[in-house]
Amino acid sequence: MLYVPSWGLWYLFSLFCWRTLVVFINPQRINAYICVLISLTLCLLCGYVDLTLEFSFQRTFYFFPFFMIGHCLALNKIDIKTYCLSLKKSILILSCTLLVCIMICVIKETSILGLLLGSYNYSPQTPLASFTGHEGLIIVRFIILLGSFLIGFSFLSLCKYIKANNKILSIGSNTLLFYIYHLFIFAILKKANIPTSLTFILLYTIITIVCLYQLRSNKVLIKLLNPITSHFK
């Protein structure tokens, strides 16, 4: 269906929407914390709209708070140092997160992945609705958001303690390139029809990271993608 962005196109479409929304909800004119609160409100309320993957609606608003916080951090409207966690807490939270991700991969629970990806609304057919009731899905989304924010700030805190140098930080400026590249790498791995056991998943992850790191310095590919990346940065 043309109105359902497939593959990685949903992210590019959502990124365009976020850039448009931030013009109206602008932290340079409105208090940054109010902007984050508005984005969170939109994220929670959009679940009541009877749209899911159409026009990437749910994902766009689900991830909008993350874009808004990143935008505010880039403008220095929010001081990350205020929210930094201790080194032990950061390592503990990130370790637990990794363990949960491995468990999800092992049990292959796609319904949980759908909730984490923001693909569902609050309809009775949504996974977990049979346990929480569709009215309780807004609470589930709120809890997932809180957990995601905690993981994000844990990672940023860890970067502070390990004193990430400019070379490591420069990798973050190429995240859009990484996103576009990894789609092709995963497509190749999927077409190859190789095993999907936990051992192979870890192996694929290492291969993907190595490939992405090498591709980021390929001048030909950077020039080919420059019309896309320069527009969205």
Side-chain angles (χ1 to χ4, degrees):
M1 293 180 285
L2 293 176
Y3 55 86
V4 177
S6 58
W7 209 27
L9 295 178
W10 76 266
Y11 178 76
L12 297 178
F13 180 77
S14 294
L15 191 55
F16 171 78
C17 294
W18 297 330
R19 290 288 186 183
T20 304
L21 286 168
V22 87
V23 172
F24 301 99
I25 313 171
N26 193 337
Q28 291 183 313
R29 292 186 286 104
I30 308 171
N31 183 281
Y33 293 97
I34 294 177
C35 290
V36 172
L37 182 60
I38 292 171
S39 66
L40 280 169
T41 304
L42 290 172
C43 170
L44 294 173
L45 293 180
C46 77
Y48 291 106
V49 179
D50 192 23
L51 289 172
T52 51
L53 299 176
E54 297 86 354
F55 303 106
S56 193
F57 183 85
Q58 292 296 332
R59 282 180 172 179
T60 297
F61 285 100
Y62 180 82
F63 290 108
F64 184 44
F66 299 95
F67 177 85
M68 181 59 74
I69 291 174
H71 187 64
C72 291
L73 287 172
L75 296 173
N76 294 317
K77 297 296 182 179
I78 295 178
D79 186 8
I80 186 60
K81 295 178 182 178
T82 309
Y83 303 96
C84 280
L85 303 173
S86 67
L87 180 60
K88 288 183 179 179
K89 288 181 180 178
S90 300
I91 294 174
L92 177 63
I93 291 170
L94 293 173
S95 300
C96 291
T97 303
L98 180 61
L99 180 61
V100 170
C101 290
I102 291 173
M103 288 174 63
I104 292 174
C105 291
V106 171
I107 63 177
K108 298 181 180 180
E109 185 52 68
T110 55
S111 60
I112 296 176
L113 289 173
L115 290 171
L116 295 176
L117 293 172
S119 304
Y120 298 118
N121 57 13
Y122 303 151
S123 71
Q125 289 75 35
T126 299
L128 292 184
S130 57
F131 298 99
T132 64
H134 67 278
E135 302 89 352
L137 288 174
I138 188 172
I139 300 173
V140 173
R141 177 172 289 193
F142 183 69
I143 293 172
I144 292 174
L145 284 173
L146 286 180
S148 300
F149 291 144
L150 187 60
I151 293 166
F153 283 112
S154 297
F155 179 76
L156 292 174
S157 300
L158 187 62
C159 289
K160 173 193 171 185
Y161 286 109
I162 64 174
K163 296 180 180 179
N165 56 34
N166 291 331
K167 186 175 181 180
I168 295 174
L169 293 174
S170 67
I171 296 174
S173 63
N174 295 302
T175 48
L176 185 55
L177 283 172
F178 289 157
Y179 182 80
I180 295 171
Y181 289 154
H182 97 278
L183 297 172
F184 295 100
I185 295 172
F186 279 147
I188 293 170
L189 291 173
K190 189 176 180 180
K191 287 288 183 183
N193 197 27
I194 28 192
T196 56
S197 64
L198 180 59
T199 304
F200 278 95
I201 288 173
L202 292 173
L203 181 61
Y204 304 155
T205 303
I206 294 170
I207 292 172
T208 303
I209 291 172
V210 172
C211 290
L212 289 176
Y213 191 79
Q214 294 300 318
L215 288 170
R216 68 183 281 271
S217 57
N218 189 301
K219 293 181 180 180
V220 176
L221 290 174
I222 290 173
K223 285 186 178 181
L224 287 173
L225 290 172
N226 187 57
I228 299 175
T229 54
S230 61
H231 178 72
F232 287 110
K233 279 186 179 180

